[in-house]
Every structure is written in structure tokens, then in C-alpha cells.
Amino acid sequence: MPDALDATPYDALLLLSFGGPEGPDDVVPFLENVTRGRGIPKERLKEVGQHYFLFGGVSPINDQNRALLDALRKDFADHGLDLPIYWGNRNWAPYLTDTLREMIRDGRRRILVLATSAYASYSGCRQYRENLADSLAALDAEGLPLPKIDKLRHYFNHPGFLEPMIEGVLRSLADLPDNVRDGAHIAFTTHSIPNSAADSSGPVEDHGDGGAYVKQHLDVAQLIADAVRERTGVDHPWQLVYQSRSGAPHIPWLEPDICDHLEERHAAGVPAVVMAPIGFVSDHMEVLYDLDTEADAKAEELGLPVRRSATVGADPRFAAAVRDLVLERAAVERGQEVTPCALGALGASHNLCPVGCCPARTPRPAAAGADSPYA
């Protein structure tokens, strides 16, 4: 095998995702897993679950992960990268602990993790690392030999993640009527999180107003807007907006909400809007409901033409980006000089989450970071 396709010291890749129900009977148990420890009554979970029941009780995220697994395995095989890929979820089958147990029994001892979240935040990074630590603790209690686990860096500004989103925005603009296309506004959307979580996202030096979470999204939005201008000759106005807020109304979360933003843009005379969900790897439930259902309904009420661009999903360019990230990290671990592939003003993210990065309100052990209890 050529040196460029050498994944050593790693012997497996783990796709780590959120998980979702695969039928009506799964919805409430799934939501109980997601909200465990918060004391939310089952009746309230049934209300929340209506978003899933509208789609037959099935979240698309599991099938999207299966498609991504297929794309990754095909890309690795096509390029001679001999690295087995496993899949585990935080909140539904296949559960993370079960997958790690399988990997250990298969003899995997040095594991790389790809999380289906491209940006720095507690819920998008550290919580996954806490879940890894929980699973390792459970497997240690079973007497199993624990593998060393590393997590791939944030990939928000890797060209293989950006290019499919750029093309998605271009397709959405092209799909608008001729008389509104050039004046269309681009609303780059991502998951709203509490202001306090945003402000403390990323390494300590990035903490402050919006933290790394907002900075990274703004960088991606600027890169996409610049690419659209270069390819169309039109400088479309844009703004970063938020969706999928949850939690107590008295706690400040990132704003504006996409539906409020559509109202404001319509009032300002904008002729059309492209909604670009840059904060999401795939078209999972929050995209289908909060954009394709709620935001579309708001736009129809306003008489505002809107289009929603595609997420990256299982695009072959993203699969190639993952291969690139795996080989990059493997080379770093072997002590080789590496030039990371990253666009924009922020450069490549850290390989090892430092102490104080995306802290939880209540400190908990987290694997695959500088503060990991598992060396």
C-alpha cells in the first residue's frame, strides 16, 4: 500500500451519530434516551414526538448514516485504504457501547471517530466525547481491554464538506423564478444553542461572544457566499440564522429564528430566500420539520418564494474528505509533517480538544481529548 494511504496506527474508523427512531413505537423511548436525567414527563415527550409522527415515526438520520457508511466504504475500497468502518449512536440502535464492544471483540485497539457534527460546541463535540467516556467505563467494568480512541478534527471548512453545499445553494438559486433570482437573500441556518453554550464553545482562547460555534459558521457562510458570487457574478446578501430551538423560554438562545427572519426579510422587500442548512451534515428530522415544514409554511403564508438547499449527506466529495482527514490524522500520529486541508480565515481546527474546550455545566469525564481519563 502506498504511504499516502497508510492509516496506521489506526485499525478502525467509528461513525458516531445521534440516532433516531425507526418506527412509531420507538419515538417516546428514543426521546427518553435523549432527555434522560431532565425529568421530562412522558406526556410531554409524546407532544414533542409529534414531529416524528408526522413522518411515520421514522427519523431519516439512520438511513442517511447507512448511506454515508456505504459511501465511505466504497471510497476507501476504491482508493486502497484498508480500514474497517463501524457505526454507533448516542441515543438509538446501534448503540455506541454495543458497537465499541463489537470493535474490541474484533481486535480493534486504535480507533478514530468521525462524529456527524462539523463544528465546535458542547452538544456537537464534547457531549460525544462524554458518551465515549461513559461507554469505555462500562466496557472497563466488564473487564474488556480498552482501545485508544481519537476523534477527527472539526471539518466545517474542509473543501470536501464545503463544495457540495456551494453547489446546493447554486442549484437552489437556479431553481428560483428568473425575476427574483438575482435579488434572492441567502439564509444560512444552523441549530440554535443557548448563548452561554455558544460563548464557551471551542478552546478557551475562542470563548466570548458566540465563541467558536458562531465564528466557524460565519466563516463557512462567507466562503459559500464568496463562491456563489464568483460563479454567478451576483453578490447575494446573506445572514446566519438559527433553527430548532428547544428548552426553557427564559434562557437566551442564539437568534434570529429562521421563521422570524423570513418575516423580517419579507417586510424589507426581499423577493426570495434560499435557506442553506450549513449546520447539518444530512437532511435529518430538524431539517425536514423546521425548514421543509415550518419555515416553508411561514414562507407560503407570506407569499415569499423560498428554496432549501441540500445538505452534504453521503456526497462522494464528503467521503473523500473523510479519507483525507483519516490519512492526515494518521500521519500526525506517526510523527510526520502534515499540511492540513482547510479553507477560510480560521484554518484547520485542533486535533486534540484542549482542556476547557466546550465545557459542560456539570463536569463529566470525556474521552479523546487532552483531559481524557483514558490515555
Side-chain angles (χ1 to χ4, degrees):
M1 181 183 296
D3 216 28
L5 294 183
D6 184 4
T8 55
Y10 297 107
D11 55 19
L13 177 68
L14 168 62
L15 176 66
L16 177 54
S17 194
F18 193 80
E22 303 211 66
D25 293 341
D26 297 343
V27 172
V28 171
F30 162 73
L31 292 173
E32 287 175 332
N33 288 341
V34 173
T35 61
R36 193 173 308 282
R38 300 184 205 171
I40 299 176
K42 183 171 285 191
E43 291 307 311
R44 174 59 183 149
L45 295 179
K46 289 179 181 177
E47 292 175 23
V48 174
Q50 291 307 313
H51 296 183
Y52 291 96
F53 292 129
L54 286 173
F55 296 89
V58 178
S59 168
I61 193 170
N62 286 335
D63 278 345
Q64 289 162 2
N65 281 325
R66 292 182 183 104
L68 179 56
L69 280 170
D70 288 343
L72 291 171
R73 287 167 176 157
K74 181 179 188 306
D75 179 271
F76 284 18
D78 287 350
H79 291 85
L81 178 56
D82 184 17
L83 190 70
I85 308 172
Y86 296 74
W87 169 35
N89 290 325
R90 284 170 47 182
N91 299 299
W92 203 249
Y95 287 104
L96 172 58
T97 303
D98 295 335
T99 300
L100 282 176
R101 185 184 296 109
E102 176 189 0
M103 296 177 82
I104 292 169
R105 289 175 175 167
D106 286 349
R108 312 305 173 192
R109 296 295 180 266
R110 194 74 190 272
I111 298 170
L112 257 180
V113 173
L114 167 67
T116 54
S117 175
Y119 302 85
S121 70
Y122 170 74
S123 57
C125 183
R126 185 175 179 89
Q127 192 169 13
Y128 283 101
R129 293 176 48 226
E130 290 176 352
N131 297 143
L132 285 165
D134 291 343
S135 293
L136 289 172
L139 296 172
D140 189 36
E142 295 176 14
L144 294 175
L146 298 187
K148 178 172 170 44
I149 295 180
D150 293 320
K151 180 178 174 291
L152 289 173
R153 66 176 171 88
H154 303 302
Y155 46 84
F156 61 92
N157 56 4
H158 193 289
F161 185 67
L162 287 164
E163 187 59 35
M165 293 192 291
I166 292 167
E167 288 194 1
V169 171
L170 290 169
R171 284 195 299 270
S172 293
L173 286 166
D175 192 47
L176 285 168
D178 294 347
N179 62 326
V180 299
R181 183 179 304 123
D182 286 354
H185 170 88
I186 305 174
F188 293 105
T189 77
T190 190
H191 205 302
S192 184
I193 61 176
N195 287 8
S196 58
D199 293 346
S200 61
S201 59
V204 172
E205 59 269 24
D206 284 341
H207 293 182
D209 188 15
Y213 186 74
V214 172
K215 288 178 190 173
Q216 291 171 0
H217 281 87
L218 287 173
D219 201 41
V220 168
Q222 186 68 66
L223 284 163
I224 296 173
D226 288 347
V228 169
R229 183 186 66 250
E230 290 165 6
R231 299 182 198 188
T232 65
V234 179
D235 192 7
H236 290 273
W238 62 270
Q239 185 172 337
L240 178 63
V241 301
Y242 302 92
Q243 62 174 90
S244 313
R245 179 196 162 119
S246 61
H250 68 278
I251 297 175
W253 284 52
L254 293 173
E255 295 178 335
D257 176 77
I258 178 61
C259 290
D260 295 338
H261 182 66
L262 292 176
E263 287 187 338
E264 188 271 333
R265 290 292 79 204
H266 179 256
V270 165
V273 173
V274 168
M275 301 181 292
I278 60 173
F280 304 89
V281 172
S282 63
D283 287 4
H284 56 64
M285 183 57 69
E286 286 163 318
V287 175
L288 293 186
Y289 185 79
D290 296 318
L291 294 183
D292 295 352
T293 306
E294 281 196 332
D296 270 3
K298 174 57 69 175
E300 185 174 357
E301 172 192 319
L302 296 169
L304 178 66
V306 296
R307 298 293 186 273
R308 197 269 290 173
S309 66
T311 52
V312 172
D315 189 287
R317 289 164 293 189
F318 181 44
V322 174
R323 169 171 41 89
D324 180 64
L325 291 165
V326 167
L327 295 174
E328 172 196 302
R329 182 61 182 274
V332 168
E333 292 300 306
R334 294 195 302 268
Q336 295 175 284
E337 289 290 326
V338 174
T339 301
C341 188
L343 302 177
L346 299 180
S349 186
H350 49 261
N351 275 322
L352 190 68
C353 290
V355 175
C357 193
C358 304
R361 283 187 299 175
T362 303
R364 291 177 54 200
D371 56 354
S372 172
Y374 299 100

